[in-house]
């Protein structure tokens, strides 16, 4: 249905937190390549707002400046979700899109899906179907609800399709397209690599090093658990450089540790502010091992063939474990040290990472664009019914 003279399909993309930007950049580029077929509006909720959690990604990823900024900021889950809803509703009523596109599993994602679906605007969920099975994670609640509201669900790995089928979501709504996070990685890896020599010098990493990211509440909000993880890092840091760009949630929790404990567990660790995408990607690519609790980093290390230790009891991205370089590790000093030493011992010259998972090929967003083009929405939704 792409005949000449057809009106453009109107899309509103809603992003808010750091991992959303890499995903939507790929989708927006793929839709733009289809010329006049799509008209796109980018809404940034402001869930993340520091320069190094937001603005830097617009530059690194070549994203257009947001058309609408909702300036929501931080708060409790209910407050943040409600603020996105209240501020987004008039934007959707005014713009009358055919589709609202939401990536991932953050509070902004669920809020946007709720607002759109009640205005009877179709919702497309990018990165659908992932499940940790762990309802103590706010993201799990966001994923389940967003998937059940969505009209079109784009999955990254087969487990996504299986979960959606088990939950009774019609197969016609589900498309296994691959991973848009990897589209962005494939596009920007050469630019990241160009930064590497200067970065290696800046961080003093000629040989092996460990790269760390942590931000999940169960890892960083409990001082005892945080201290366990940091003390494992400090011990490894005695022999191998440890580079740790610190998420703002985690920075606050580290600052809250008693001063003596903080010094003891941070010796030998380079604490940095959150890095831009290109710099972080270069550091991921060249790391001996990455210790993380990030969803996106589990995927990126799998694509890059870099060993990854995920300090969590579960992952919603099982393909990174079964077919990738990821393994789960307990958030406890002894277990972390054992896993770090084991990985270091394994990655000798003969070590061969597995190939990337199917459809993690740089073209997932093209498949999304094709699907959206084949399924025009509902001509701006039925706003009269909802308001
Ligand atoms: C959020 C997402 C999480 C995602 C992560 C990516 C939810 C429920 N959580 O977690 O799924 O993995 O983003 O990074 O949506 N802060 C700042 N400046 C900022 C952003 C946050 O100082 O720009 C601080 C604030 O103190 C805030 C805290 O970090 O209260 C947490 O931010 P929030 O967005 O609520 O959750 P994240 O832990 O970032
Ligand atoms: N990332 C970044 N700078 C950093 C840490 C991470 O650019 O200092 C990128 C990382 O490469 C990935 C994304 O942020 O693309 C992952 O976001 P995050 O870990 O905040 O969220 P999650 O994926 O866990 O929801």
């Amino acid at each position: 249905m792409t005949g000449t003279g057809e009106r453009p399909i109107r899309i509103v993309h809603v992003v808010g937190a750091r991992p959303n930007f890499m995903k939507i950049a790929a989708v927006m580029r793929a839709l733009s390549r289809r010329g006049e077929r799509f008209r796109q509006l980018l809404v940034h909720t402001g869930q993340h707002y520091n320069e190094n959690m937001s603005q830097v990604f617009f530059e690194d990823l070549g994203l257009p400046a947001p058309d609408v900024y909702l300036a929501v900021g931080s708060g409790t889950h209910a407050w943040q979700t409600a603020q996105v809803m209240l501020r987004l509703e008039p934007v959707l009523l005014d713009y009358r899109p055919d589709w609202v596109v939401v990536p991932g599993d953050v509070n902004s994602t669920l809020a946007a899906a709720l607002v759109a679906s009640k205005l009877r605007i179709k919702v497309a969920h990018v990165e659908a179907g992932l499940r940790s099975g762990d309802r103590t994670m706010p993201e799990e609640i966001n994923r389940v609800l967003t998937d059940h509201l969505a009209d079109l669900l784009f999955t990254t790995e087969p487990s996504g399709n299986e979960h959606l089928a088990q939950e009774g979501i019609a197969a016609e709504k589900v498309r296994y397209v691959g991973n848009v996070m990897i589209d962005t990685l494939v596009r920007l890896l050469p630019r990241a690599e160009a930064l590497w020599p200067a970065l290696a010098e800046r961080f003093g990493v000629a040989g092996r090093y460990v790269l760390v990211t942590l931000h999940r509440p169960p890892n960083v909000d409990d001082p005892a658990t945080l201290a366990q993880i940091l003390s494992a890092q400090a011990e490894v840091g005695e022999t191998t450089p440890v580079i740790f760009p610190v998420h703002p949630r985690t920075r606050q929790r580290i600052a809250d540790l008693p001063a003596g404990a903080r010094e003891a567990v941070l010796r030998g660790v380079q604490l940095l502010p959150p890095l831009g995408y290109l710099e972080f990607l270069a550091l991921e690519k060249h790391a001996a091992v990455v210790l993380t609790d990030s969803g996106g980093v589990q995927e990126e290390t799998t694509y890059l063939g870099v060993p990854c230790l995920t300090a969590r009891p579960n992952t919603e991205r099982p393909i990174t474990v079964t077919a990738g370089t990821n393994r789960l590790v307990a958030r406890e000093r002894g277990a972390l040290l054992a896993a770090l030493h084991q990985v270091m011992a394994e990655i000798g010259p003969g070590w061969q990472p597995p190939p990337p998972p199917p459809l993690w090929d740089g073209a997932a967003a093209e498949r999304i664009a094709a699907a959206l083009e084949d399924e025009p929405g509902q001509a701006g939704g039925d706003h009269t019914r909802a308001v």
Side-chain angles (χ1 to χ4, degrees):
M1 289 256 302
T2 55
T4 49
E6 266 181 306
R7 71 169 186 85
I9 302 168
R10 293 163 75 83
I11 307 278
V12 169
H13 305 278
V14 182
V15 292
R18 176 165 70 184
N20 296 160
F21 305 127
M22 299 79 189
K23 296 168 195 171
I24 224 63
V27 178
M28 289 190 81
R29 286 172 67 82
L31 299 193
S32 295
R33 279 195 289 273
R34 287 168 190 248
E36 295 301 306
R37 193 69 192 102
F38 293 98
R39 190 159 297 160
Q40 309 187 63
L41 191 88
L42 180 61
V43 176
H44 183 341
T45 67
Q47 176 172 345
H48 285 174
Y49 44 85
N50 288 358
E51 199 276 339
N52 57 23
M53 293 296 288
S54 174
Q55 178 63 30
V56 66
F57 300 109
F58 285 76
E59 290 154 21
D60 276 7
L61 303 169
L63 266 172
D67 298 288
V68 179
Y69 185 66
L70 303 179
V72 163
S74 306
T76 65
H77 287 276
W79 184 91
Q80 191 173 58
T81 309
Q83 287 298 321
V84 174
M85 292 179 70
L86 287 169
R87 297 175 195 209
L88 181 64
E89 186 178 57
V91 177
L92 297 186
L93 283 169
D94 182 45
Y95 189 72
R96 301 174 65 82
D98 299 296
W99 289 93
V100 168
V101 176
V102 289
D105 56 16
V106 303
N107 285 344
S108 301
T109 307
L110 171 61
L114 264 169
V115 174
S117 58
K118 291 204 172 180
L119 292 175
R120 301 190 64 201
I121 298 167
K122 292 199 177 188
V123 174
H125 186 202
V126 175
E127 197 186 272
L130 296 181
R131 297 288 184 269
S132 64
D134 178 357
R135 288 273 176 115
T136 67
M137 291 181 78
E139 294 82 2
E140 184 74 354
I141 296 167
N142 294 343
R143 289 178 199 120
V144 171
L145 295 178
T146 303
D147 283 340
H148 284 260
L149 294 168
D151 299 281
L152 203 44
L153 298 93
F154 297 115
T155 57
T156 54
E157 59 168 271
S159 76
N161 294 59
E162 288 158 21
H163 296 133
L164 296 173
Q166 282 158 12
E167 292 173 20
I169 291 176
E172 308 85 77
K173 296 202 278 184
V174 182
R175 307 278 191 285
Y176 173 33
V177 293
N179 195 326
V180 292
M181 194 95 167
I182 301 304
D183 289 12
T184 294
L185 187 161
V186 168
R187 172 169 69 93
L188 292 177
L189 189 57
R191 280 185 50 205
E193 284 285 39
L195 301 178
W196 172 243
L199 279 178
E201 199 175 317
R202 185 166 124 209
F203 296 123
V205 284
R208 285 181 169 190
Y209 62 92
V210 180
L211 177 66
V212 180
T213 79
L214 293 173
H215 68 274
R216 296 285 164 206
N219 285 346
V220 305
D221 286 1
D222 171 39
T225 307
L226 179 60
Q228 290 271 321
I229 301 175
L230 294 180
S231 93
Q233 290 179 39
E235 179 155 341
V236 169
E238 285 173 16
T239 50
T240 310
V242 176
I243 301 180
F244 183 10
V246 187
H247 187 284
R249 171 191 286 277
T250 311
R251 180 160 296 275
Q252 190 54 52
R253 299 300 180 263
I254 292 174
D256 292 344
L257 290 174
R262 191 167 59 235
E263 277 150 31
V265 295
L266 288 176
R267 242 180 295 113
V269 178
Q270 281 195 60
L271 289 196
L272 305 170
L275 295 174
Y277 179 75
L278 296 172
E279 291 188 341
F280 186 79
L281 181 56
L283 282 170
E284 267 184 292
K285 170 76 168 52
H286 291 274
V289 51
V290 178
L291 171 63
T292 195
D293 55 15
S294 157
V297 171
Q298 293 173 59
E299 297 181 338
E300 290 169 344
T301 47
T302 280
Y303 182 85
L304 294 168
V306 172
C308 180
L309 296 175
T310 297
R312 286 180 43 191
N314 51 53
T315 177
E316 60 289 328
R317 293 161 160 89
I319 204 164
T320 63
V321 174
T322 55
T325 55
N326 189 20
R327 60 186 92 162
L328 303 181
V329 56
R331 31 179 78 119
E332 180 269 311
R333 184 174 185 278
L336 287 163
L337 278 173
L340 281 162
H341 289 309
Q342 192 189 341
V343 172
M344 299 277 202
E346 282 170 11
I347 51 171
W351 192 76
Q352 269 294 334
L359 302 185
W360 292 25
D361 59 359
E366 272 305 316
R367 294 187 273 271
I368 289 176
L372 284 169
E373 195 164 359
D374 281 350
E375 290 225 6
Q378 192 172 309
D382 175 4
H383 304 296
T384 51
R385 182 180 172 276
V387 291

